[in-house]
Amino acid sequence: MKSKVSIVRCDDYTLDNIRSAVHKSFAQLGGLEKFVKKDQRVLIKPNLLSAKDPSRAITTHPALVQAVIEEVKRMGATPILGDSPGGVERGIKRVWENTKMSEVAGATGAKLVAFESGGVYERKTEKGKKYFIAKPLLDADVIISLPKLKTHTLTLMTCAVKNMFGSIPGFRKSEYHRDAPKPGDFARVIVDIFSLTKPNISLVDAVVCMEGDGPSSGNPKYLGLLLASTDAVALDMVAAKIMGFKDGEIDITSAAQEKGLGARSFSEMEILGENSADLSAPKFILPSNRFLKLIPKFLLAPLRPLVWVRPGILDGNCTNCNICVDNCPTNTIRKGEKIPYFDYTDCINCMCCHELCPQKAVFLKKSWLAKKIA
Ligand code: SF4
Ligand code: SF4
């Protein structure tokens, strides 16, 4: 059977527009009642990457979260709102407040759950690889994932499959980065985690997305859509197409397809709603280090001394908060008197520092030749 992908126009984040677009998205997949039953516990998992205001387009918009919670409550089920935000060691309360999830919880009565404090279950993939997954997520009867569509300097794009990486509490995320330093290996880690936490439905916030050097230092990009599916892999393929990536360019999607976790081609999906012709026009500014992925693998190693991209710090933006230092999986970043500094010897280019810096102070530093090619 073909995977259904719903595309619904949603002009803005006013609650009435969002409510009607959310309802239509679920209706196109057969109605929420198909997935959520009375008295079930429904874990709603937005992308709360950092403690930033929704206008920055870094996190899932609170209006979407609220509209989904309202739909879940209409089914007679209990909504639970949870995530494991980056840099959470600075306090989860700040994240809930700045992303406006506290307001959503106040308006709907949904419980807020920080995955850091809820404990973990050990789960193994079919190949025996161990992962530690947040208990509140696995204890739920139903999982609804609410990704934010953004570019990403490590994985090129973050959407439905990548959103489930947030099922791993706190610092373990850095360990998984360290243990899988190559982008292809890290994609397989993401897919392993996704396979252990598969959401029943994914509903993507693609009203205002992020383009450029996301997932936190890019710029907001208006798209005006909600995308939904029970097949997160199909959803990612559609999202990648809309953004302007080539088929097969997103490692996470390829790794998920290798594992048989979703549609392998557009012929295996049925697109419902907005005209599918909209998918053909590239509209996003893609990450500035994307060109590295386009260099044939056999040339990468010999070219590395000449063509490189690595993180650097903009003195003027840095507040010396040391979030990058605390979250670097290889201790490449050291505390400095005014700003941190890098000893690149062990850098694995995971871009966690770029992703988690709250001040857009970490930038992608390029060699002379890399600048010419980019
Ligand atoms: S680069 Fe960013 S994360 Fe690192 S210390 Fe400066 S402001 Fe904080
Ligand atoms: S310096 Fe940045 S890119 Fe390099 S390993 Fe540390 S967090 Fe990753």
Side-chain angles (χ1 to χ4, degrees):
M1 213 169 77
K2 289 188 174 191
S3 298
K4 291 181 177 173
V5 177
S6 154
I7 305 181
V8 172
R9 185 138 300 280
C10 182
D11 289 338
D12 53 40
Y13 289 115
T14 52
L15 254 180
D16 281 349
N17 281 347
I18 282 277
R19 281 179 180 132
S20 119
V22 164
H23 190 79
K24 192 171 169 194
S25 300
F26 289 144
Q28 291 198 138
L29 300 178
L32 191 59
E33 57 276 16
K34 204 170 131 188
F35 308 97
V36 175
K37 309 287 178 221
K38 192 170 180 294
D39 296 331
Q40 283 186 320
R41 283 166 306 168
V42 180
L43 191 287
I44 294 161
K45 158 76 181 76
N47 177 341
L48 302 180
L49 174 61
S50 58
K52 292 292 176 192
D53 187 85
S55 59
R56 294 277 304 273
I58 294 171
T59 51
T60 305
H61 199 279
L64 176 65
V65 179
Q66 177 164 340
V68 171
I69 290 174
E70 288 170 358
E71 289 277 333
V72 167
K73 285 177 75 178
R74 248 193 298 282
M75 299 297 118
T78 305
I80 302 155
L81 180 52
D83 195 13
S84 167
V88 73
E89 63 281 1
R90 310 274 149 156
I92 186 70
K93 203 162 166 265
R94 257 182 78 240
V95 177
W96 297 142
E97 280 173 5
N98 293 1
T99 59
K100 310 288 184 234
M101 293 302 138
S102 302
E103 285 177 26
V104 170
T108 59
K111 189 177 167 196
L112 290 171
V113 177
F115 290 168
E116 276 62 37
S117 50
V120 290
Y121 288 118
E122 181 185 310
R123 289 285 188 268
K124 285 185 184 162
T125 63
E126 75 284 359
K127 287 194 174 161
K129 197 161 174 203
K130 259 192 274 175
Y131 290 94
F132 296 93
I133 314 270
K135 270 188 182 177
L137 186 115
L138 294 182
D139 282 340
D141 300 303
V142 177
I143 299 171
I144 300 181
S145 166
L146 303 180
K148 182 84 171 171
L149 181 57
K150 298 185 287 181
T151 47
H152 196 293
T153 50
L154 176 64
T155 58
L156 293 182
M157 175 187 93
T158 171
C159 192
V161 175
K162 171 84 168 54
N163 193 41
M164 300 317 290
F165 189 49
S167 313
I168 305 295
F171 281 112
R172 280 192 211 271
K173 287 200 271 297
S174 297
E175 290 169 17
Y176 294 139
H177 270 289
R178 190 194 54 216
D179 296 345
K182 291 187 183 153
D185 294 338
F186 184 63
R188 278 183 279 280
V189 167
I190 301 262
V191 168
D192 278 350
I193 292 163
F194 169 74
S195 70
L196 298 170
T197 60
K198 243 178 142 185
N200 300 74
I201 311 179
S202 301
L203 173 57
V204 182
D205 175 0
V207 180
V208 181
C209 313
M210 180 172 281
E211 66 178 1
D213 286 342
S216 55
S217 298
N219 293 312
K221 166 78 182 172
Y222 178 77
L223 189 62
L225 295 176
L226 293 187
L227 315 174
S229 183
T230 55
D231 180 344
V233 182
L235 205 46
D236 279 4
M237 283 178 73
V238 170
K241 186 97 176 163
I242 291 173
M243 291 174 112
F245 290 108
K246 295 181 198 309
D247 290 349
E249 197 177 343
I250 307 295
D251 286 343
I252 291 176
T253 305
S254 306
Q257 288 167 332
E258 270 167 35
K259 270 196 154 202
L261 293 172
R264 282 161 300 177
S265 68
F266 282 92
S267 63
E268 292 183 12
M269 62 178 96
E270 182 185 357
I271 295 177
L272 307 161
E274 294 301 317
N275 190 340
S276 56
D278 283 358
L279 306 184
S280 57
K283 306 175 187 84
F284 280 62
I285 296 170
L286 301 178
S288 66
N289 59 345
R290 173 191 178 221
F291 72 94
L292 286 175
K293 297 255 179 195
L294 303 176
I295 297 176
K297 279 205 176 99
F298 71 94
L299 282 177
L300 265 181
L303 281 178
R304 193 157 291 133
L306 296 171
V307 183
W308 49 260
V309 178
R310 58 193 187 198
I313 293 181
L314 294 165
D315 305 23
N317 288 19
C318 180
T319 57
N320 212 13
C321 69
N322 287 315
I323 287 180
C324 55
V325 177
D326 296 343
N327 285 278
C328 174
T330 57
N331 297 321
T332 291
I333 317 176
R334 311 281 160 75
K335 283 185 183 170
E337 209 172 295
K338 289 193 179 144
I339 61 167
Y341 64 96
F342 296 85
D343 170 358
Y344 291 108
T345 322
D346 294 324
C347 178
I348 55 171
N349 257 1
C350 66
M351 295 300 161
C352 290
C353 48
H354 178 261
E355 176 172 340
L356 295 175
C357 173
Q359 306 298 337
K360 286 194 175 187
V362 178
F363 72 105
L364 302 191
K365 202 167 165 180
K366 298 184 183 77
S367 67
W368 177 84
L369 194 51
K371 279 187 202 154
K372 293 278 165 210
I373 300 172

